[in-house]
Amino acid sequence: MPLQLTLDDLTTLLRECAGEDETVDLSANVLDVPFVELGYDSLAILQTTGRIEVTHDLLLDEEAVTEVETPRQYLDLVNGALSAQQTA
């Protein structure tokens, strides 16, 4: 079974790396909510990316990471890289 990062995994990592805005409900359906509306800026995304890269021995395209705006886009990027890594 291929390794996939889930929304739960991502929200846990975001909380660990950058904290949590108490006014945002991350348990709701936030897949298509922009990170800025969830209280996470580009630094939070980069910190989370660094943790994922170290944990999974993965290198994500830095430009692509800076272009993602929602959890869904981020998960698609990470999971695409994980999938490619497993088939390599």
Side-chain angles (χ1 to χ4, degrees), residues 41-53:
D41 61 12
S42 59
L43 181 58
I45 303 308
L46 290 175
Q47 289 174 320
T48 301
T49 299
R51 175 85 64 90
I52 290 168
E53 288 179 331

Side-chain angles (χ1 to χ4, degrees), residues 1-79:
M1 180 173 180
L3 177 65
Q4 293 280 299
L5 191 73
T6 66
L7 181 59
D8 286 342
D9 297 333
L10 177 58
T11 56
T12 297
L13 285 168
L14 285 167
R15 288 177 176 135
E16 289 174 0
C17 292
E20 177 178 12
D21 183 341
E22 297 298 324
T23 64
V24 177
D25 180 9
L26 289 176
S27 65
N29 185 4
V30 296
L31 273 173
D32 296 310
V33 178
F35 283 118
V36 292
E37 288 182 29
L38 296 174
Y40 295 107
D41 61 12
S42 59
L43 181 58
I45 303 308
L46 290 175
Q47 289 174 320
T48 301
T49 299
R51 175 85 64 90
I52 290 168
E53 288 179 331
V54 168
T55 302
H56 298 288
D57 192 25
L58 185 68
L59 183 60
L60 296 170
D61 180 316
E62 189 176 320
E63 185 176 331
V65 170
T66 62
E67 292 176 1
V68 296
E69 296 180 359
T70 66
R72 182 186 308 274
Q73 292 171 340
Y74 189 84
L75 288 170
D76 287 348
L77 175 69
V78 172
N79 287 330

